């Protein structure tokens, strides 16, 4: 597997007009200790990245639209040949914002939608009117011919909404729908007890597989759910190989589940380079080292790329190279990013054989 940066999430601010229950960065309207970097520093970071690679760069937050210079950053990245995108909760989108999105060269925008109605979505986002804002943003994007995708995050409090949110995303005209199974980092640690169970997790992934295979769907992908690629391969033994190849081809990183620090990373507002948006451990800082040096030489990234390091069920699993388990979730639950995926219901073949041998030896 070639480890080159294909996709970078860039937290350009930690400020946000909402206070979502699952927020990985614990964003607030005003944040102390994590100030926005200057526009000039933003340009320097873009130059640093562009001299090494040409990844997709997603301007994120917090809420990136609270920065008055967000479109200057986007335009500069576009002019440097980077594929610039924007991740927003949608509530601040206006006609004027849409014009600026197009002028800045932003390729695609992601919107957040966590419920099929205002009661569910607004509860998740801790703000009355958030649902209406997202729907209005989707309508404005369609009007201005701006391509958008929808990201939806799920816990026990809204897991019954999954199919409804998928259908609503299609109705709104989204290009793609990404189903996020949340990783409890940041404010999300406060809802650890709301994580979807292993059993329900498997049922949801089975539903997603059947939906993707049998319906006329837009691009859909479970995110932070690397075991979906194990599910795909398990089902390929009985089902359509053509669908299997298509499904793997259009994953974020080719044909592998967790690609944190392998094909993707996050640059936070303090200029730390982290394996992904939900993995609060830095591989290095852009104030001290170049992006290239961090990407190629950090110990953290090296460990994540060496699958022989993985422990528990993941370490012995026959699907290690196609799934890998969520490293951020292992870190959040166990404090060890090399531990097994805590929400996977699969028992590896090696483990089953060892269990049988143990039973025989006791007879």
């Amino acid at each position: 597997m070639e480890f080159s940066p294909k996709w970078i999430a860039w937290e350009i601010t930690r400020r946000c007009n909402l206070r979502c229950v699952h927020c990985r960065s614990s964003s607030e309207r005003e944040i102390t200790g994590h100030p926005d970097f200057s526009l000039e520093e933003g340009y320097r970071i873009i130059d640093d990245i562009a001299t090494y690679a040409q990844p997709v760069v997603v301007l994120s937050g917090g809420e990136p639209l609270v920065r008055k210079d967000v479109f200057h950053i986007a335009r500069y990245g576009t002019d440097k040949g980077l594929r610039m995108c924007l991740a927003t909760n949608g509530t601040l989108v206006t006609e004027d914002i849409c014009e600026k999105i197009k002028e800045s060269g932003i390729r695609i925008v992601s919107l957040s939608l966590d419920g099929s109605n205002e009661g569910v979505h607004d509860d998740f986002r801790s703000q009355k009117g958030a649902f209406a804002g997202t729907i209005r943003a989707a309508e404005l994007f369609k009007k201005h011919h701006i391509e958008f995708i929808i990201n939806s995050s799920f816990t026990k409090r809204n897991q019954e909404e999954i199919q409804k949110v998928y259908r609503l995303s299609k109705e709104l005209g989204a290009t793609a729908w990404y189903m996020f199974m949340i990783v409890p980092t940041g404010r999300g640690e406060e809802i650890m007890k709301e994580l979807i169970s292993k059993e329900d997790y498997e049922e949801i992934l089975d539903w997603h597989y059947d939906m993707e295979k049998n319906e006329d769907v837009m691009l859909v992908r479970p995110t932070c759910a690397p075991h979906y690629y194990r599910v795909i391969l398990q089902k390929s033994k009985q089902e359509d190989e053509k669908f299997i190849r298509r499904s793997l081809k259009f994953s974020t990183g080719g044909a592998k589940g967790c690609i944190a620090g392998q094909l993707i990373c996050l640059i936070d507002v303090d200029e730390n380079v982290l394996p992904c948006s939900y993995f609060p451990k830095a591989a290095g800082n852009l104030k001290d080292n170049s992006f290239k040096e961090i990407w190629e030489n950090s110990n953290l990234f090296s460990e994540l790329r060496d699958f022989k390091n993985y422990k528990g069920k993941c370490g012995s699993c026959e699907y290690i190279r196609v799934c890998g388990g969520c490293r951020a979730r292992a870190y959040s639950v166990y404090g060890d990013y090399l531990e097994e995926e805590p929400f996977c219901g699969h028992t590896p073949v090696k483990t089953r054989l060892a269990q049988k041998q143990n039973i025989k030896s006791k007879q």
Side-chain angles (χ1 to χ4, degrees):
M1 182 177 178
E2 179 188 356
F3 300 114
S4 58
K6 303 294 185 185
W7 185 93
I8 298 173
W10 187 11
E11 180 188 73
I12 63 172
T13 183
R14 199 162 285 186
R15 294 178 293 132
C16 187
N17 61 317
L18 301 183
R19 197 180 188 279
C20 306
V21 297
H22 65 305
C23 182
R24 59 147 201 91
S25 62
S26 300
S27 292
E28 305 270 4
R29 289 186 180 273
E30 295 299 330
I31 293 289
T32 57
H34 301 279
D36 296 351
F37 51 81
S38 68
L39 180 59
E40 290 71 24
E41 185 65 2
Y43 290 165
R44 187 193 69 80
I45 292 171
I46 290 172
D47 287 338
D48 183 19
I49 295 169
T51 58
Y52 173 58
Q54 295 289 303
V56 172
V57 177
V58 183
L59 302 179
S60 182
E63 170 52 56
L65 292 180
V66 303
R67 277 195 71 141
K68 297 184 185 304
D69 57 4
V70 56
F71 297 112
H72 294 293
I73 296 172
R75 183 72 256 174
Y76 191 82
T78 297
D79 291 343
K80 289 292 180 176
L82 302 178
R83 290 166 289 172
M84 304 301 291
C85 304
L86 178 74
T88 175
N89 61 45
T91 59
L92 301 180
V93 174
T94 62
E95 299 270 2
D96 182 56
I97 291 292
C98 288
E99 292 295 341
K100 290 179 178 178
I101 287 172
K102 298 177 74 171
E103 291 168 1
S104 67
I106 286 172
R107 302 284 192 90
I108 194 168
V109 180
S110 68
L111 275 176
S112 301
L113 181 65
D114 306 312
S116 63
N117 59 71
E118 64 179 2
V120 178
H121 180 84
D122 290 0
D123 171 67
F124 214 77
R125 297 279 157 177
S126 300
Q127 180 66 54
K128 187 172 179 57
F131 178 78
T134 295
I135 301 302
R136 183 176 63 252
E139 293 170 348
L140 285 171
F141 290 154
K142 285 186 68 176
K143 176 182 176 180
H144 288 267
H145 306 289
I146 295 171
E147 190 174 3
F148 69 97
I149 67 174
I150 286 179
N151 294 332
S152 303
S153 299
F154 295 101
T155 66
K156 287 180 180 178
R157 76 167 63 188
N158 66 336
Q159 73 178 82
E160 298 302 320
E161 287 280 296
I162 289 176
Q163 296 185 36
K164 296 177 183 177
V165 173
Y166 156 66
R167 289 194 292 270
L168 178 55
S169 299
K170 284 185 69 175
E171 293 170 6
L172 290 172
T175 296
W177 178 62
Y178 285 73
M179 180 182 73
F180 281 74
M181 311 300 279
I182 79 155
V183 178
T185 60
R187 196 176 294 124
E189 292 181 357
E190 299 173 15
I191 55 171
M192 183 77 76
K193 293 181 180 179
E194 291 190 32
L195 298 183
I196 294 171
S197 69
K198 287 184 184 179
E199 296 75 19
D200 286 353
Y201 214 141
E202 290 288 324
E203 288 185 11
I204 290 167
L205 295 181
D206 283 343
W207 164 80
H208 195 289
Y209 175 89
D210 292 335
M211 172 270 291
E212 187 180 358
K213 185 176 189 300
N214 298 317
E215 291 191 27
D216 179 21
V217 299
M218 56 188 161
L219 174 62
V220 291
R221 188 65 57 236
T223 307
C224 301
H227 14 319
Y228 184 60
Y229 299 94
R230 181 254 303 165
V231 170
I232 290 173
L233 290 179
Q234 285 176 317
K235 290 179 177 290
S236 71
K237 296 176 182 179
Q238 296 88 24
E239 301 190 14
D240 185 5
E241 292 286 348
K242 183 177 180 181
F243 167 75
I244 304 304
R245 289 193 298 271
R246 176 178 70 84
S247 190
L248 290 175
K249 177 182 178 183
F250 288 107
S251 71
T252 305
K256 186 173 185 295
C258 184
I259 49 177
Q262 299 170 38
L263 298 175
I264 67 172
C265 68
L266 167 76
I267 301 173
D268 73 13
V269 74
D270 300 319
E271 301 188 37
N272 294 307
V273 180
L274 303 97
C276 77
S277 298
Y278 303 97
F279 200 135
K281 185 176 178 63
N285 189 283
L286 294 177
K287 296 173 184 175
D288 304 318
N289 298 103
S290 71
F291 181 82
K292 179 178 187 292
E293 289 170 334
I294 296 170
W295 184 266
E296 294 186 352
N297 301 319
S298 79
N299 291 331
L300 174 56
F301 286 176
S302 294
E303 286 188 318
L304 293 172
R305 296 166 187 171
D306 185 356
F307 307 137
K308 295 191 296 294
N309 288 326
Y310 291 12
K311 303 174 184 178
K313 290 196 302 181
C314 286
S316 61
C317 186
E318 62 274 24
Y319 295 105
I320 184 64
R321 291 186 176 276
V322 74
C323 169
C326 178
R327 296 300 96 211
R329 192 175 287 114
Y331 186 54
S332 175
V333 174
Y334 301 123
D336 184 348
Y337 50 82
L338 297 177
E339 262 295 352
E340 66 185 30
E341 158 67 59
F343 283 82
C344 176
H346 176 65
T347 303
V349 171
K350 288 182 181 179
T351 303
R352 293 200 299 270
L353 290 174
Q355 290 171 345
K356 287 181 179 179
Q357 291 174 352
N358 188 42
I359 291 172
K360 287 183 178 180
S361 67
K362 292 180 178 180
Q363 291 177 339

